[in-house]
Amino acid sequence: MCGIVGIVRRRLGVARDLIRSLKKLEYRGYDSAGIAVMSDGDIEVVKGVGTIEAVVGDAKIRDGYVGIGHTRWATHGGVSPENAHPHLSCNGEVAVVHNGTLDDFEGMRRELIAKGHVLHSETDTEVVAHLVEGNLKSGDKPLSAFVKAIKKLKGSYAIVSIISGERALFLARNKSPLVIGLGEDGNYCASDVAALLHLTNRFIFMDDGEIALLTPSEVEIWRLNGDSLEKVHKETEEVEWTPQLLDKGAFDHFMLKEIHEQPHILRKIAESIDYYTRFSERLNSLLRDGSLTIVAAGTSYHAGLIGKYLLSKLAGVRSEIIVASEFPEWSSHLRQGDIVLAISQSGETADVLEAVRIAKSKGSKVVSIVNVPGSTLTRISDESIFIQAGPEIGVAATKTFSAQVAVLYVVSSLISGRSGISRELTEVSELLRGSMDSLDEFSKKMSDLLKDKEHVFFLGRGINYPTALEGALKLKEISYIHAEGYPAGEYKHGPLALIEEGTPAIMLVPVNEELRKKTIYNIMEVRSRGAFTITIQPRGMEIPADASLETDAWDELISPLIYTVPLQLIAYHTAVILGRDPDKPRNLAKSVTVE
Ligand code: M6R
């Protein structure tokens, strides 16, 4: 995963902005961090294990005109000061930061060591600094030394390098994100746009196989074509996101802020039906030629399950869904003209991108639902739409799940020709806005009960089976309590054996009467075996439970948008009570850019 940043400018002052950018990238990895800054020719590095604030926050680094920074989520090599980036060459004249994983780097390491290079880390990245140094020593000019080194690499990489004496950033991208920001007094690059919003809103999005040279006044980009470099011209795009969106304001955590943003986002989607109409028409016309397969990972996969349900229920569209990491094994049937719908918040999830590449190689059309502007998925899809949720910083996806579900609701409704979608979403938005405080209060109480439990089960039926999966994912990823989501009716086929006296079972009670009756049987089943049952249910229903949250959900199909919020809040408060940081859960990163 990891986040990288680079700044080159006419005046001094890169260090402070590098640190600001890195803090915005911390969600991509937070086990170690570092920056390298160059002023009068010498490169100075500060790096180590810990958060950005702890490692470089008050670093007494000499300021400079050009610098790079990195926040790490370890892949090659453990979490240690030596493995933290930036990595330097032997003579300290080349510094490199990298996001991605290099294949066959062991061979290159051996070759470099045989040539007398001394490598200090276990990382794949360090070889790049030494390769560039070797080329410089052989007489290559800086750009050509960098390009020659890049040509040797296999695997995924977004790489930024600085070279002693050069007021320039050297960039290369293959299968890892890298964007270029254009400023008044310099140019910048980073893993995503959010990291540079305090500097600019004008971006160039690099594509795979591209190399770039950034100086304070110029940006040059080439495509690597075999052994030759072809100059490419790329459009500048303006991004609507503002730096204020990256501020957590009065909230204790980004996750809580993002949960509270949901009513606003639903309203925004409700007001953008025209924007989604073109995409829906295009998808509908593609559906005449081929079958539909949805692909996504994690929370986006759960939204995809709801999408599959909505497409079937509302529009009579048959689809299948494959979790992204399994796509290569389960997609042999795809043919020319089939449609793959990829759903991703970041648009950078490696498993999703790989699925899309496979689909394209088979001649399938790829349409995508994405949150981050300019992300790789939007660039490799035939058609994409945005969910308009704004930047999501908390590692646990919350507002983007609701936005994905709402957009899938809109798209399915538009394909079916239903009307009244905007009104319905506005009503959900108002309902949530008016009930946030009571949802929060209820969730806090439940969290207090759950905090000491070893297992929690989430059971739902129909459209709320994926909601149950999502509730369980949220709880386990940020509180580290084991949680499982299950179809309520399937539970008796095995997992029921796990219920003991006091085991919590959170039951999502359907609005639909037939489904509700069945779920009530399921509630009885777990209660009679000692489960502590918590229901999230429509108002005014007599349902046997130990604790209940009554909601004003009035329709089965919109109920996930309402039921999800207390589940997110339960996860959030449980993590907080247990002293865990909900924004940065252990072992995880927001954007999973490795397969
Ligand atoms: O950016 P994406 O939507 O493609 O990310 C997919 C998953 O990595 C993501 O949803 C992950 O499961 C979240 N941490 C869940 O909260």
Side-chain angles (χ1 to χ4, degrees):
M1 273 65 95
C2 308
I4 62 176
V5 58
I7 299 179
V8 58
R9 56 163 57 124
R10 277 183 210 101
R11 58 180 169 87
L12 281 172
V14 299
R16 199 177 53 101
D17 280 325
L18 282 175
I19 296 168
R20 261 182 102 178
S21 292
L22 276 185
K23 286 187 177 162
K24 304 294 177 215
L25 288 169
E26 203 166 18
Y27 72 88
R28 297 178 68 89
Y30 31 83
D31 58 46
S32 10
I35 55 173
V37 172
M38 188 183 72
S39 50
D40 305 323
D42 288 344
I43 297 175
E44 200 184 328
V45 173
V46 178
K47 64 178 185 174
V49 171
T51 61
I52 290 156
E53 187 55 40
V55 178
V56 294
D58 57 356
K60 301 274 176 292
I61 195 162
R62 205 163 14 116
D63 212 344
Y65 300 97
V66 55
I68 52 179
H70 189 272
T71 178
R72 183 165 189 249
W73 187 87
T75 52
H76 289 63
V79 179
S80 70
E82 294 74 28
N83 290 338
H85 299 216
H87 290 285
L88 284 173
S89 61
C90 296
N91 60 12
E93 291 185 1
V94 182
V96 173
V97 288
H98 166 216
N99 165 215
T101 49
L102 300 181
D103 303 337
D104 305 333
F105 74 99
E106 294 291 359
M108 287 190 279
R109 265 182 90 91
R110 277 194 297 275
E111 261 179 52
L112 286 162
I113 291 168
K115 285 183 183 162
H117 287 263
V118 180
L119 279 80
H120 296 282
S121 75
E122 304 157 297
T123 65
D124 47 354
T125 309
E126 193 184 354
V127 299
V128 183
H130 294 270
L131 287 171
V132 177
E133 181 191 273
N135 298 336
L136 287 168
K137 279 195 172 151
S138 311
D140 288 325
K141 294 258 170 38
L143 179 62
S144 123
F146 179 73
V147 173
K148 266 193 192 165
I150 296 301
K151 280 186 187 164
K152 287 199 152 216
L153 307 183
K154 292 196 192 83
S156 61
Y157 52 81
I159 287 177
V160 191
S161 177
I162 54 175
I163 298 177
S164 203
E166 298 296 314
R167 201 178 290 188
L169 296 168
F170 299 84
L171 280 57
R173 162 182 174 146
N174 192 47
K175 294 188 179 173
S176 291
L178 194 52
V179 305
I180 296 171
L182 309 175
E184 294 303 321
D185 71 333
N187 291 308
Y188 328 103
C189 64
S191 300
D192 67 26
V193 296
L196 299 177
L197 287 176
H198 63 286
L199 298 168
T200 185
N201 70 342
R202 292 185 303 131
F203 292 92
I204 295 176
F205 296 101
M206 287 182 76
D207 288 301
D208 288 348
E210 288 180 351
I211 289 198
L213 177 70
L214 272 55
T215 64
S217 53
E218 265 188 281
V219 170
E220 288 186 278
I221 305 173
W222 299 268
R223 179 178 303 287
L224 253 183
N225 194 356
D227 249 10
S228 60
L229 277 186
E230 288 163 5
K231 193 126 190 200
V232 287
H233 171 75
K234 308 200 70 159
E235 294 300 326
T236 301
E237 295 177 37
E238 281 197 12
V239 167
E240 279 178 15
W241 288 5
T242 60
Q244 291 72 35
L245 293 171
L246 301 170
D247 202 346
K248 63 173 186 264
F251 291 95
D252 289 340
H253 296 97
F254 280 106
M255 181 177 174
L256 190 58
K257 175 195 174 217
E258 287 157 5
I259 292 172
H260 280 261
E261 279 173 359
Q262 291 175 113
H264 168 71
I265 294 162
L266 293 182
R267 178 173 274 276
K268 205 162 155 193
I269 295 170
E271 287 165 358
S272 315
I273 303 300
D274 288 350
Y275 168 66
Y276 295 109
T277 303
R278 207 189 81 81
F279 176 87
S280 308
E281 284 168 357
R282 174 91 177 115
L283 178 58
N284 202 13
S285 83
L286 288 171
L287 285 169
R288 290 188 205 118
D289 301 329
S291 69
L292 177 63
T293 301
I294 303 171
V295 65
T299 288
S300 299
Y301 174 73
H302 299 154
L305 283 168
I306 294 180
K308 174 179 164 66
Y309 182 99
L310 289 168
L311 282 162
S312 159
K313 263 279 193 279
L314 289 175
V317 171
R318 180 184 165 166
S319 63
E320 64 169 315
I321 178 160
I322 306 177
V323 73
S325 55
E326 286 291 326
F327 191 89
E329 294 304 310
W330 293 80
S331 58
S332 314
H333 59 280
L334 279 187
R335 290 186 210 315
Q336 180 98 17
D338 283 345
I339 306 116
V340 169
L341 169 61
I343 306 172
S344 172
Q345 183 285 128
S346 60
E348 300 295 350
T349 299
D351 292 327
V352 175
L353 298 180
E354 183 56 18
V356 166
R357 288 186 187 107
I358 293 171
K360 292 199 96 174
S361 73
K362 295 184 176 206
S364 300
K365 287 271 176 234
V366 175
V367 294
S368 57
I369 298 181
V370 189
N371 189 40
V372 177
S375 55
T376 307
L377 184 56
T378 64
R379 311 189 65 73
I380 62 177
S381 301
D382 296 294
E383 199 84 41
S384 344
I385 38 164
F386 293 102
I387 57 171
Q388 308 186 83
E392 188 175 65
I393 308 295
V395 165
T398 52
K399 62 175 179 174
T400 55
F401 174 74
S402 295
Q404 288 165 339
V405 170
V407 167
L408 286 159
Y409 184 72
V410 170
V411 170
S412 307
S413 300
L414 287 169
I415 292 178
S416 74
R418 284 175 78 237
S419 55
I421 322 160
S422 176
R423 182 187 36 79
E424 286 163 345
L425 282 182
T426 308
E427 280 175 33
V428 180
S429 157
E430 288 312 311
L431 193 159
L432 284 177
R433 193 185 302 283
S435 51
M436 268 308 181
D437 287 347
S438 58
L439 295 182
D440 201 53
E441 203 182 309
F442 173 83
S443 307
K444 261 192 201 146
K445 277 193 205 135
M446 293 307 108
S447 306
D448 213 39
L449 292 167
L450 299 182
K451 67 177 191 305
D452 304 316
K453 302 291 179 183
E454 262 185 77
H455 312 281
V456 181
F457 294 97
F458 292 75
L459 305 186
R461 214 169 242 283
I463 197 166
N464 280 311
Y465 154 48
T467 316
L469 294 178
E470 178 56 11
L473 176 61
K474 284 296 85 96
L475 187 68
K476 67 184 135 193
E477 78 174 322
I478 60 168
S479 77
Y480 321 147
I481 293 175
H482 170 240
E484 240 184 276
Y486 235 81
E490 181 67 13
Y491 198 69
K492 59 185 176 294
H493 295 288
L496 193 55
L498 294 167
I499 295 287
E500 290 173 356
E501 199 53 43
T503 307
I506 301 184
M507 312 292 300
L508 306 180
V509 181
V511 178
N512 174 286
E513 198 180 339
E514 279 309 299
L515 294 179
R516 192 165 61 242
K517 273 191 202 150
K518 291 185 183 178
T519 302
I520 293 174
Y521 293 142
N522 303 137
I523 296 175
M524 310 289 244
E525 279 157 14
V526 291
R527 284 198 97 199
S528 60
R529 283 153 183 91
F532 182 88
T533 47
I534 301 168
T535 58
I536 299 186
Q537 61 173 78
R539 197 171 296 285
M541 307 286 162
E542 282 292 316
I543 299 188
D546 298 293
S548 301
L549 173 69
E550 299 210 325
T551 75
D552 289 314
W554 71 92
D555 178 82
E556 195 64 24
L557 300 188
I558 50 89
S559 63
L561 292 170
I562 296 163
Y563 288 3
T564 300
V565 181
L567 300 185
Q568 295 168 340
L569 286 166
I570 287 174
Y572 170 78
H573 288 300
T574 309
V576 171
I577 295 174
L578 290 170
R580 285 150 196 175
D581 182 347
D583 285 344
K584 293 184 201 141
R586 70 182 180 203
N587 304 337
L588 302 180
K590 178 86 183 151
S591 201
V592 187
T593 55
V594 288
E595 277 175 60

